[in-house]
Amino acid sequence: LFAPVALELGIDPIHLGVVMIVNLAIGLFTPPVGVNLYVACGIGKISIEDISKGIIPCLVAMLIVLLLVTYIPAISLMFV
């Protein structure tokens, strides 16, 4: 769905894939729908509120990485 539009706009398909994967990783860790949060709560036997407070530094780091990868395509394309 996104690939033909990205190719038409001149976006590299590998760069698009990396940006989408980083976005999905962030989505899996953000409440209230973050599946990985529920798994971590079950393993650690803690509440969703406690773990949500603990992931804030990780989430900030992931958002910084997302911004870097999105706006500096050379980062995601350096090994191609």
Side-chain angles (χ1 to χ4, degrees):
L1 186 65
F2 293 113
V5 175
L7 289 174
E8 192 67 32
L9 292 173
I11 299 171
D12 190 277
I14 294 174
H15 182 245
L16 175 68
V18 170
V19 169
M20 289 181 72
I21 288 172
V22 173
N23 274 309
L24 286 170
I26 292 171
L28 288 173
F29 274 105
T30 52
V33 189
V35 176
N36 289 351
L37 283 181
Y38 294 112
V39 171
C41 287
I43 291 172
K45 309 253 189 298
I46 58 175
S47 69
I48 193 79
E49 292 85 16
D50 292 337
I51 202 164
S52 294
K53 293 175 195 167
I55 67 157
I56 291 174
C58 180
L59 188 61
V60 170
M62 291 173 79
L63 288 171
I64 291 170
V65 168
L66 175 64
L67 288 172
L68 289 173
V69 167
T70 301
Y71 293 109
I72 306 173
I75 293 173
S76 60
L77 299 174
M78 75 172 57
F79 295 115
V80 176

